[in-house]
Amino acid sequence: MRVFVTGASGHIGSAVVEELTGAGHEVLGLARSDASAAVVSALGGEVRRGDFADTAALRDVAREADAVVHLAFDHATMTAGDFAGAAATDLGVVRTLGDALAGTGKALLGVGMTPTGDPATDAVIAANPRSAVSRALAAYTERDVRVVHVAIPPVTHSARDTTGFLPTLIGIARARGVSGYLGEGANRWPAAHVQDVARLYRLAVEKAPAGAQLHAATEPGVPVREIAERIALHLGIPARGVPAERAAAHFRGFPFIGLDLTMPNDSTRALLGWTPSHPGVLGDLDAGHYFTTA
């Protein structure tokens, strides 16, 4: 299959490109810079230059492909504090891709979660500005697009991870001299190794049915206190709970410290025959690569 991947040079995208090309698929990778283009080429992908603003280019490349994997996101705008603005940009991209594929029966894989029926989980989903993107994506199922939602765990880890939850938490711990967690640290973060996530994407491209909701977490929910304590062990500093009233100051620039979410994966494993095989989050921390830079 010819698969168009946005965000092809990123942490998750590069793993997906590598997995797809390794399985014999042709990959068209969107790249907006020479550096991104070099990454896509090195992984065996065919570079398509462009960015979110070039809707004509997005539409044309989508029409070339048999499936589209949409992973790109405006992280710069999000980290600057405008999550809603980044989500609005993403909504426009999804609509461009969906319109391009309408009536073709081709696959469009997007990041997101659909309602689960569990009030607590659905409240977390609805509070995320990207929930509007998920709803827009789902609507294309009625327009003959093989829509697949993939819930990517907030902790997607590997030696390639330089900007995710783990390096962010490690950076805060180094700066504060204490590895912190919110309150008792009982809130949970779903997690998965990026190569297991990439394998799931390849299986989804090949055989996930229209309307499928996939959960890419190999660990449905890891207590944040356990993660903070493992970071403390490697840094040689104490681990300590941070009261809610001090959290904004302590975890400045990282609003997700209190996120509490689980992603059961039994249905995803059964649907696609997905068998994760890489280390869990604590094992990957123990591998040491997260602590080799200052």
Side-chain angles (χ1 to χ4, degrees):
M1 297 175 68
R2 285 170 66 81
V3 185
F4 174 33
V5 180
T6 71
S9 63
H11 177 217
I12 298 173
S14 60
V16 170
V17 171
E18 188 172 39
E19 176 73 23
L20 288 169
T21 56
H25 298 290
E26 298 177 44
V27 174
L28 308 174
L30 187 69
R32 63 178 180 178
S33 69
D34 291 342
S36 294
V39 171
V40 173
S41 293
L43 294 170
E46 184 178 334
V47 175
R48 289 290 188 273
R49 296 300 291 262
D51 59 25
F52 290 160
D54 192 346
T55 56
L58 286 172
R59 182 177 60 248
D60 291 346
V61 182
R63 287 173 175 167
E64 281 186 60
D66 300 307
V68 176
V69 174
H70 176 45
L71 289 166
F73 191 71
D74 188 357
H75 291 284
T77 296
M78 181 184 73
T79 55
D82 187 8
F83 195 176
T89 298
D90 195 42
L91 179 60
V93 174
V94 165
R95 285 175 172 161
T96 296
L97 297 172
D99 288 347
L101 299 180
T104 67
K106 294 179 179 179
L108 174 56
L109 280 66
V111 175
M113 291 181 69
T114 53
T116 65
D118 175 69
T121 300
D122 289 348
V124 174
I125 295 171
N128 188 326
R130 297 185 79 171
S131 61
V133 180
S134 296
R135 290 192 296 272
L137 180 66
Y140 284 100
T141 304
E142 303 301 320
R143 297 178 62 187
D144 193 24
V145 179
R146 181 163 63 96
V147 170
V148 179
H149 285 85
V150 183
I152 296 177
V155 179
T156 300
H157 53 88
S158 79
R160 299 175 179 176
D161 178 22
T162 59
T163 60
F165 274 32
L166 295 185
T168 299
L169 205 59
I170 290 167
I172 293 170
R174 281 192 168 116
R176 301 297 189 193
V178 59
S179 183
Y181 47 87
L182 183 64
E184 297 297 318
N187 60 304
R188 297 151 297 176
W189 290 345
H193 193 282
V194 74
Q195 288 180 271
D196 286 321
V197 174
R199 183 175 298 125
L200 177 61
Y201 265 98
R202 192 254 300 166
L203 293 170
V205 164
E206 294 171 347
K207 59 184 181 180
Q213 170 68 75
L214 307 178
H215 292 126
T218 60
E219 296 178 285
V222 181
V224 176
R225 180 171 181 164
E226 292 183 11
I227 295 173
E229 288 175 342
R230 194 62 58 93
I231 290 171
L233 178 66
H234 283 275
L235 294 180
I237 60 177
R240 188 175 303 146
V242 177
E245 62 271 18
R246 292 177 46 217
H250 185 94
F251 299 103
R252 184 169 298 169
F254 185 61
F256 305 111
I257 188 63
L259 176 69
D260 187 20
L261 181 67
T262 60
M263 286 186 188
N265 62 27
D266 291 347
S267 62
T268 298
R269 289 175 182 248
L271 179 66
L272 298 180
W274 177 51
T275 306
S277 60
H278 290 83
V281 61
L282 300 183
D284 213 8
L285 285 169
D286 287 342
H289 54 80
Y290 276 107
F291 305 96
T292 57
T293 57

